[in-house]
Amino acid sequence: MSVILKVENLKKYFDVQGGKLHAVDGISFSINEGETFGIVGESGCGKSTLGRTIIHLYQPTSGKIIFENKDITFISKKECRELLRKMQFIFQDPYSSLNPRMTVIDIIMEPLLIDGMKRKDARQRASELMEMVGLSKMFETSYPHELDGGRRQRIGIARALALEPKFIICDEPVSALDVSIQAQILNLMLELQEKLKLTYIFITHDLSVVKHISDRVMVMYLGQTVELAETQELFSNPVHPYTKALLSAVPSIDIDEQQKREILHGEIASPINPQPGCRFAARCKYSTSRCKTDDPQLVEIKPGHFVSCYNV
Amino acid sequence: MSEVILSVKNLSVEYRVEEGIVKAVNDVSFDVKSGETLGLVGETGAGKTTIALSIMGLLPVPPAVVTQGEILFEGENILAANEKYLRTLRGNKISMIFQDPMSALNPSTYVGDQISEVIMLHNKVSKDKAREMAEECLEMVGIPKNRYAEYPHKFSGGMKQRVIIAIALACNPNLLIADEPTTALDVTIQAQILELMEQLKEKKGTSNILITHDLGVIAKMCDRVAVIYAGEIVEMGTLRQVFKNTAHPYTKGLFDALPGNSLSGKRLKPIKGSMPDPTSLPENCKFANRCFNKSDKCDQRIKLVDIGDGHLVRCVSPLCSEGVKSH
Ligand SMILES: Nc1ncnc2c1ncn2[C@@H]1O[C@H](COP(=O)(O)OP(=O)(O)OP(=O)(O)O)[C@@H](O)[C@H]1O
Ligand SMILES: Nc1ncnc2c1ncn2[C@@H]1O[C@H](COP(=O)(O)OP(=O)(O)OP(=O)(O)O)[C@@H](O)[C@H]1O
Ligand SMILES: [Mg+2]
Ligand SMILES: [Mg+2]
């Protein structure tokens, strides 16, 4: 299997009041062609920023992004447009990511037209895409605000698929959907993956979804990777205390199963000018004095299983 | 027996748009008792947010039209109330966590200030004190207080959602309507938020209407559950009745669609077909065309009936009756 995307020590800092906000702070990984790479982590830990930096919606601060063996870290506008033919993004927020003044069919046609397709062909293709994601024809002339969240999310998916990309970064593509439509969309994504040999980065909070769909999973905490392993391994042998807390907090649908969920307490570190030391230390029940002063490194504790913690 | 604080009676709501009349809510009735949490689940587009907006008196009119029904809150019909009364109600007694955080946040005001404004509205405190309390609110929802002076668009999706939650909780409402409050949150923060909601319920006896498609969250939080399909309640009962004694084929379909419940390897099991076009709903059972249990009997208008102990089901051949365990 060949590596399609490689990210090396990638950083994205924002200038904010009070200093530099370390949204993505030294992330490295590589993804194989045809793989689904899941990313989970606390809300605000930098998952969307990581995805957006890879696809050049944000300029990287430093580090390297290599796509199909080509360094794309710093590229021109024109190269960026070419990149979008191969790499697409499904946005987290189906509300504000769609242009409210465009009809559904126009939203889906837009990338095709920008890419130079004739209007008539683009329309035809957009209709096909709508059918593929299960949007009925009657919505072609609707505006996004007239639709419920689930349908809006499907517009985003149809739009991302329009240019037949090889690589799609999916930012919470199913979290606005009810479980049945979620199952439909996930099945659709799996089918498309087989048919078109797609590679996915799949960002989600839903651990049962990530477990179901991903080959490998990366767990992030405040801009950094705390654990990375094959899905099966991560779910059966979580090592990092944050990963453990995360897995224990999944609410079960069995109303008789009394769960022992771990509610995290302690101060949440700020990503603005972060202090040295492990960023989870203040909330970690195993932390020692060293955790508060030194930065733990990501180490391979077993083939393919990486953890960043002093207490493993 | 605790008192009923909210009573929705035979509510029907339509959206009159160019494409036709969308029958979003059809003859929905339910009660919420003081200190109770009622869960609303159902397919996207089923009408859950429309029900919530009706209770808040915030339906977009036009295109929305309430065609029948009453919503009684502490005995007063919200649907007939004037805007002034509604405004005091919304500020003080009822608050809502909106599904779409951006529509509820002011893009040009610091997130922290948006919280302290609400605090000042409800408490006689100085500006400095309100700021201090707002900082505490931020920390309560897991956002460091040094992020007080930032604009909403600099926040991640889940952080915006948490600001909305902080604002809603700062109102100390008697009734909290939470529309998908934790969908954008990871499970550890979600657990923290759900804990806050429970604390409020314990401390103040707040009633909650919790709209979510996360069945795990429903299982954790709700006393009773209503399942909505194509604008109608198809099943309603206690958490145990609906989860352990599932009677409507649609509800069963939701459970079967969950990842982790699929027996067939990688493929999940969605409910086949899709919800009927809300501009031309059938008169007979609206779920019939997707139902694995369909028969000739389904070809009629179906009533919501009590199959025992207040477990309501809109189906001529429910999968079980109370007392008979299935699942
Ligand atoms: N344009 C921006 N300017 C300044 N700060 C930003 C900007 N975008 C994101 N941030 C900050 O970067 C951090 C990471 O945000 P990001 O949206 O990547 O989080 P996330 O992991 O996707 O969270 P969620 O799960 O809630 O969507 C947050 O602290 C956020 O406030
Ligand atoms: N402003 C509007 N104009 C026209 N139709 C609308 C409007 N708002 C909602 N609808 C329609 O009303 C129906 C019910 O929508 P509603 O938003 O209440 O569903 P929901 O159950 O909250 O769905 P979701 O789970 O996706 O949030 C849908 O068919 C929707 O398209
Ligand atoms: Mg995000
Ligand atoms: Mg809704």
Side-chain angles (χ1 to χ4, degrees), chain A residues 17 21 42-43 95 148 150 175 177-181 187 190 194 205 212 246 251 254 256 261 268 270-271, chain B residues 44 99 110 142 146-147 158 162 183-187 190-191 213 220 240 244 258 266-268 270-271:
Chain A
Q17 252 193 20
L21 190 151
E42 188 155 87
S43 159
Y95 294 94
D148 54 78
S175 61
L177 309 180
D178 64 88
V179 291
S180 174
I181 292 177
N187 282 349
L190 287 167
E194 280 163 22
H205 287 308
H212 181 80
L246 192 67
D254 187 345
D256 289 327
R261 49 156 84 219
I268 296 184
S270 171
Chain B
T44 153
Q99 185 171 13
Y110 289 153
N146 69 352
R147 317 273 324 245
R162 284 182 269 161
T183 29
L185 303 178
D186 64 280
V187 289
Q190 170 174 283
H213 56 250
K220 161 109 185 45
R240 181 161 294 277
K244 286 284 177 182
L258 290 174
K266 266 284 183 198
R267 287 291 179 271
L268 296 166
I271 302 167

